[in-house]
């Protein structure tokens, strides 16, 4: 609401309390004033006692400290806060502004701004800031708040002047950090492009000074990144890295830009090749590679990270996750045990497992940062235990897997129940596993379909294809247009040799969800595998790859259809690219066969041995070796 002008304020003389009710009113107002003054930082005059203390307890009073507050200012603050409490924001604002001008106190100007903002009166807040700046031109706080306010109001030209003052008023040692914080301004208004441009123009001279060049370049780049202009952001990141490849701030921005600016990766690698690369940059790079499904490269960088920072528990957790994803459960188990060893050594008094940790209260940790750190440790420990259970399961150490699961706090969580069911499935205890899955939440339609998909996946992993197909077929009757259910049903139809039905289901998915690349890839790969309609298969897989560029599984499909078409060199190129991104067993089987056909038997055997080490029971790999009559 807009603040309206109030009539001039006439302050009454101090009344004497006529009753105990009057005394209570005065005490209440004093208490409110004490709270206000505690916030503003002004000294508070001593309040008179109604009665003198007993003589027996009298002590010598220290010399009184004279307050800077006079009677008029006292009542101005009191009236302003009482009016605000009673809902009269316009009068509260006017009285507080008068008190601020009269006292030239920075805290009171800030309070006037807060009153205006609380009343959603942006123009009055801007006016208070302007008066604050005029009264106290050396106030860095006023310049900072005025910049934020003007950006929020879309007044970038005025905001630039305030921002320039803020930077100039910042002490030289603190200037780089202050400049680095400026990209948050872009989030503060409805004109992010204009704000990013204003930021770029304001920081132009600071990008030329040695002491602030790095922070100014990075802040400019971050401003454009926040505003959505990633190519413009890349220009400044490139300049920052060229100036100093060791700058971790620029390298982290480059990692973020890798998502859709491929040339940014060279900037990241330049930092990692510098004399002292930051561990945080390499960790961010590993996560980006993982997101892009470049698991082979991600694992290589992750192992380099743990060599460089062997006591970093988080680096070992990341490496364990990647090794598990890459089909290396033994290496994953070693990395995850190392993670637990480091965390438990760093916190010897910490509970031994997540169950005990979950029972601990954070009440003894008043610091929110400490509370967050503890919650993060508990969460990481639970993740490590869960992945250790998965690694043990893959190593057929079912008792060990069960022991790790028992250390998790929430035994009825979806994740724990699913892993326990998977253990039972692997041991052939199908009925028990399916009964356990009935404990998954099934209240909503989404929970029902999630349970069906989970159960079908476990049945499929256990090669219970008819049961999995029947489960999905029944679910598709209840959810007829669910593309995920239809897709999974199509894959199982192929397992059962029902190729026409599989194609019908996949084409239905393509109609319902034209951007579902997996449906196009699955049909194309199935045709290539059966050596049918290869031109059509190539077209389908090409469309899938357009939707998901670089996907290693789709790249594998394209390499396989190229091999079927007799283009062996192109097939090798594509399959090598896919295998480098994700050293998957089936991709390894295909790459090995192409190398075998090219007469490079020893290399083919090496690839097959690597693939067997990951998954010796893989059907595609075993069928390839039988057909070619090869012993790796």
């Amino acid at each position: 609401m807009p603040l309206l002008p109030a009539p001039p304020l006439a302050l009454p003389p101090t009344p004497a309390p006529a009753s105990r009710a009057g005394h209570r009113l005065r005490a209440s107002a004093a208490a409110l004033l004490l709270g206000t003054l505690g916030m503003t930082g002004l000294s508070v005059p001593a309040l008179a006692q109604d009665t003198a203390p007993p003589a027996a307890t009298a002590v010598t009073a220290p010399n009184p400290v004279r307050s800077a507050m006079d009677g008029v200012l006292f009542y101005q603050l009191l009236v302003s806060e009482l009016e605000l409490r009673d809902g009269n924001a316009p009068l509260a604002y006017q009285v507080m502004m008068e008190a601020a001008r009269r006292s030239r106190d920075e805290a009171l100007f800030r309070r006037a701004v807060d009153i205006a903002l609380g009343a959603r009166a942006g123009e009055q807040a801007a006016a208070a800031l302007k008066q604050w700046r005029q009264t106290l031109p050396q106030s860095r706080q006023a310049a900072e708040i005025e910049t934020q306010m003007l950006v929020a109001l879309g007044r970038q030209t005025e905001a630039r002047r305030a921002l320039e003052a803020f930077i100039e008023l910042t002490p030289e040692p603190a200037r780089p950090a202050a400049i680095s914080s400026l990209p948050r301004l872009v989030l503060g208004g409805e004109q992010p492009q204009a704000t990013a441009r204003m930021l770029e123009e304001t920081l132009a001279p600071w990008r030329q000074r040695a002491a602030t060049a790095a922070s100014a370049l990075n802040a400019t780049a971050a401003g454009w990144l926040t505003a959505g202009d990633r190519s413009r952001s890349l220009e400044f990141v490139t300049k920052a890295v060229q100036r100093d490849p060791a700058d971790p701030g620029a390298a982290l921005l480059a990692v973020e830009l890798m998502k859709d600016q491929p040339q940014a990766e060279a900037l990241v690698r330049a930092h990692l090749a510098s004399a002292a690369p930051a561990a945080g940059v390499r960790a961010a790079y590993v996560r980006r590679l993982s997101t892009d499904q470049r698991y082979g490269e991600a694992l290589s960088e992750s192992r380099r990270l743990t060599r460089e920072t062997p006591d970093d528990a988080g680096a070992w957790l990341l490496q364990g996750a990647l090794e598990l994803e890459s089909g290396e459960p033994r290496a994953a188990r070693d990395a995850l045990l190392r993670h637990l060893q480091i965390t438990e050594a760093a916190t010897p008094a910490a509970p031994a497992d997540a169950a005990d940790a979950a029972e601990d209260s954070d009440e003894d940790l008043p610091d929110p940062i400490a509370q967050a750190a503890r919650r993060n440790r508990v969460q990481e420990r639970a993740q490590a235990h869960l992945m250790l259970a998965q690694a043990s399961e893959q190593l057929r150490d079912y008792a060990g897997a069960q022991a790790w699961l028992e250390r998790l706090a929430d035994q009825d969580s979806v994740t724990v129940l699913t892993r326990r069911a998977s253990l039972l499935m692997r041991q052939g205890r199908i009925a028990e596993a399916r009964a356990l899955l009935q404990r998954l939440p099934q209240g909503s339609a989404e929970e029902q379909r999630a349970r069906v998909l989970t159960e079908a996946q476990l049945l499929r992993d256990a090669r219970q294809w008819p049961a999995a197909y029947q489960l999905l077929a029944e679910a598709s009757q209840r959810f007829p247009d669910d593309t995920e259910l239809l897709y999974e049903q199509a894959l199982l139809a192929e397992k059962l040799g029902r190729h026409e039905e599989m194609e019908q289901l996949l084409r239905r998915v393509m109609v319902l969800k034209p951007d579902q690349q997996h449906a196009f890839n699955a049909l194309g790969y199935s045709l290539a595998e059966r050596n049918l309609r290869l031109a059509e298969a190539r077209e389908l897989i090409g469309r899938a790859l357009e939707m998901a560029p670089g996907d290693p599984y789709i790249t594998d499909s394209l390499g396989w259809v190229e091999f079927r078409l007799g283009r062996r060199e192109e097939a090798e190129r594509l399959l090598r690219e896919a295998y480098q991104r994700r050293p998957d067993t089936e991709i390894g089987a295909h790459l090995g066969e192409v190398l075998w056909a090219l007469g490079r038997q020893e290399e083919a055997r090496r690839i097959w041995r690597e693939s067997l080490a990951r998954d010796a029971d893989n059907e595609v790999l075993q069928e390839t070796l039988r057909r070619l009559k090869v012993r790796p």
Side-chain angles (χ1 to χ4, degrees):
M1 66 176 183
L3 291 173
L4 302 176
L9 178 66
L11 294 175
T14 305
S19 65
R20 295 185 62 86
H23 175 80
R24 285 196 298 271
L25 175 61
R26 187 179 69 175
S28 175
L32 178 61
L33 184 60
L34 283 169
T36 303
L37 297 179
M39 175 184 62
T40 61
L42 292 176
S43 57
V44 184
L47 297 177
Q49 298 291 324
D50 284 341
T51 58
T57 60
V59 295
T60 304
N63 292 329
V65 177
R66 182 175 296 277
S67 170
M69 182 185 300
D70 58 20
V72 174
L73 180 57
F74 179 95
Y75 280 105
Q76 283 180 315
L77 300 182
L78 178 62
V79 169
S80 177
E81 295 299 336
L82 287 173
E83 291 295 339
L84 184 63
R85 188 183 66 176
D86 291 341
N88 191 353
L91 182 56
Y93 167 80
Q94 180 182 334
V95 174
M96 188 61 71
M97 276 298 297
E98 177 59 31
R101 281 191 292 264
R102 183 172 175 275
S103 65
R104 301 173 62 87
D105 187 284
E106 189 158 33
L108 299 187
F109 279 114
R110 175 62 188 266
R111 181 59 179 152
V113 172
D114 289 343
I115 292 172
L117 291 175
R120 301 182 182 274
E123 291 300 327
Q124 278 79 359
L129 280 163
K130 183 177 181 181
Q131 181 67 52
W132 184 0
R133 292 284 317 285
Q134 291 174 349
T135 305
L136 302 169
Q138 299 303 308
S139 171
R140 178 173 174 267
Q141 184 186 29
E144 180 181 17
I145 297 174
E146 185 178 27
T147 303
Q148 296 171 348
M149 173 71 64
L150 293 171
V151 165
L153 293 173
R155 290 153 58 174
Q156 270 72 20
T157 301
E158 298 171 72
R160 178 177 174 179
R161 291 194 292 269
L163 180 57
E164 289 170 344
F166 167 72
I167 299 173
E168 289 287 355
L169 290 169
T170 301
E172 189 170 339
R175 202 168 278 155
I179 290 174
S180 296
S181 72
L182 296 179
R184 62 189 169 84
L185 290 172
V186 180
L187 297 171
E190 298 180 357
Q191 301 176 31
Q193 292 277 332
T195 304
R197 189 175 301 107
M198 182 269 292
L199 190 61
E200 177 186 339
E201 294 169 354
T202 304
L203 293 178
W206 302 102
R207 292 194 292 271
Q208 307 304 317
R209 302 186 186 185
T212 56
S215 58
L217 282 166
N218 291 337
T220 306
W224 283 115
L225 179 61
T226 305
D229 192 335
R230 300 174 72 87
S231 60
R232 185 66 173 156
S233 177
L234 181 62
E235 293 179 29
F236 287 96
V237 172
T238 302
K239 292 177 182 178
V241 173
Q242 289 172 345
R243 178 186 173 277
D244 181 10
D247 178 9
L252 287 170
L253 286 167
V255 171
E256 173 63 27
L257 289 166
M258 278 177 57
K259 180 179 180 181
D260 53 10
Q261 304 288 321
Q263 57 270 49
E265 185 169 4
L267 305 178
V268 180
R269 290 199 165 274
H271 173 82
L272 295 177
S274 64
V281 173
R282 196 179 299 279
Y285 183 47
V286 170
R287 287 190 286 271
R288 169 50 57 190
L289 291 172
S290 302
T291 301
D292 293 342
Q293 298 189 57
R294 295 165 59 181
Y295 293 107
E297 296 166 85
L299 182 54
S300 176
E301 290 293 336
S302 179
R303 287 170 173 165
R304 187 173 288 111
L305 178 62
T306 53
R307 287 196 299 270
E308 293 173 352
T309 57
D311 295 327
D312 184 344
W316 287 104
L317 184 67
L318 181 59
Q319 180 175 317
L322 285 166
E323 286 169 334
L324 197 59
E325 183 69 26
S326 299
E328 301 185 35
R330 199 174 304 278
R333 184 178 61 185
D334 293 343
L336 294 167
L337 288 173
R338 178 62 179 148
H339 163 80
L340 291 178
Q341 181 185 14
I342 294 171
T343 55
E344 289 169 7
T347 55
D353 55 44
D356 292 339
E359 295 173 359
D360 280 357
S361 171
D362 284 336
E363 292 179 0
D364 59 331
L365 294 174
D367 182 0
I369 297 178
Q371 293 180 18
R374 171 178 281 186
R375 287 192 295 269
N376 186 61
R377 286 195 302 271
V378 171
Q379 184 179 12
E380 285 190 349
R381 188 179 294 114
Q383 289 173 343
H385 290 164
L386 189 62
M387 287 190 288
L388 280 163
Q390 189 175 351
S392 298
E393 180 182 337
Q394 292 180 11
L395 292 167
R396 293 185 171 84
D397 177 11
Y398 302 131
Q402 183 63 38
W404 286 116
L405 288 176
E406 287 173 356
R407 299 185 71 177
L408 290 162
D410 188 356
Q411 290 294 305
D412 288 328
S413 71
V414 172
T415 305
V416 175
L417 286 173
T418 301
R419 288 256 62 85
R420 289 171 60 194
S422 178
L423 276 175
L424 293 170
M425 287 277 191
R426 283 182 178 267
Q427 297 173 76
R429 299 158 63 180
I430 309 299
E432 292 177 66
R434 299 188 74 174
L436 184 61
L437 290 173
Q438 295 302 315
R439 291 168 56 183
L440 292 174
Q442 302 182 56
S444 66
E446 180 58 33
E447 288 172 338
Q448 292 172 25
R449 64 178 292 281
R451 186 195 64 76
V452 167
L453 287 166
T454 299
E455 185 174 356
Q457 181 62 53
L458 293 181
L459 287 168
R460 182 181 173 189
D461 291 344
R463 302 187 181 185
Q464 301 290 312
W465 298 323
Y469 176 85
Q470 183 62 32
L471 180 67
L472 288 167
E474 292 172 359
S476 293
Q477 294 295 319
R478 283 182 287 153
F479 307 101
D481 293 332
D482 190 302
T483 56
E484 194 170 1
L485 291 171
L486 292 169
Y487 174 75
E488 293 295 332
Q489 186 182 351
L491 298 184
L492 286 162
E494 183 186 35
K495 288 289 186 184
L496 296 170
R498 303 176 183 177
H499 294 108
E500 290 186 6
E501 181 182 354
M502 176 207 68
E503 183 167 345
Q504 291 173 357
L505 289 167
L506 289 176
R507 291 198 180 279
R508 186 176 172 195
V509 172
M510 294 176 197
V511 171
L512 292 170
K513 194 174 182 182
D515 60 348
Q516 219 279 35
Q517 70 268 19
H518 301 300
F520 290 88
N521 179 60
L523 181 54
Y525 178 77
S526 177
L527 292 172
E529 183 68 11
R530 290 178 285 142
N531 217 5
L532 299 173
R533 294 150 48 193
L534 295 180
E536 181 184 355
R538 190 173 188 274
E539 180 183 353
L540 287 165
I541 296 168
R543 289 181 64 184
L545 203 55
E546 288 175 2
M547 297 179 210
D551 185 296
Y553 290 120
I554 303 177
T555 304
D556 169 64
S557 298
L558 186 58
W560 193 236
V561 78
E562 293 289 0
F563 178 63
R564 293 294 202 194
L565 287 166
R567 300 167 182 160
R568 294 176 177 177
E569 288 76 12
E570 179 63 9
E572 181 196 358
R573 184 188 69 80
L574 290 166
L575 290 168
R576 279 195 186 279
E577 177 187 328
Y579 192 69
Q580 182 183 22
R581 281 179 171 266
R582 189 180 185 107
D584 177 80
T585 303
E586 290 190 18
I587 299 175
H590 291 152
L591 177 57
E593 183 164 350
V594 171
L595 292 170
W596 188 268
L598 289 168
R600 287 145 59 182
Q601 280 81 6
E602 283 308 311
E603 187 178 3
R605 281 192 169 94
R606 179 180 61 79
I607 297 293
W608 284 330
R609 283 195 296 269
E610 290 177 0
S611 300
L612 282 169
R614 292 189 184 92
D615 185 1
D617 297 329
N618 183 271
E619 295 174 39
V620 173
L621 178 57
Q622 289 295 339
E623 188 278 330
T624 300
L625 296 177
R626 282 195 303 270
R627 177 165 40 81
L628 297 177
K629 300 178 182 179
V630 175
R631 282 190 175 183

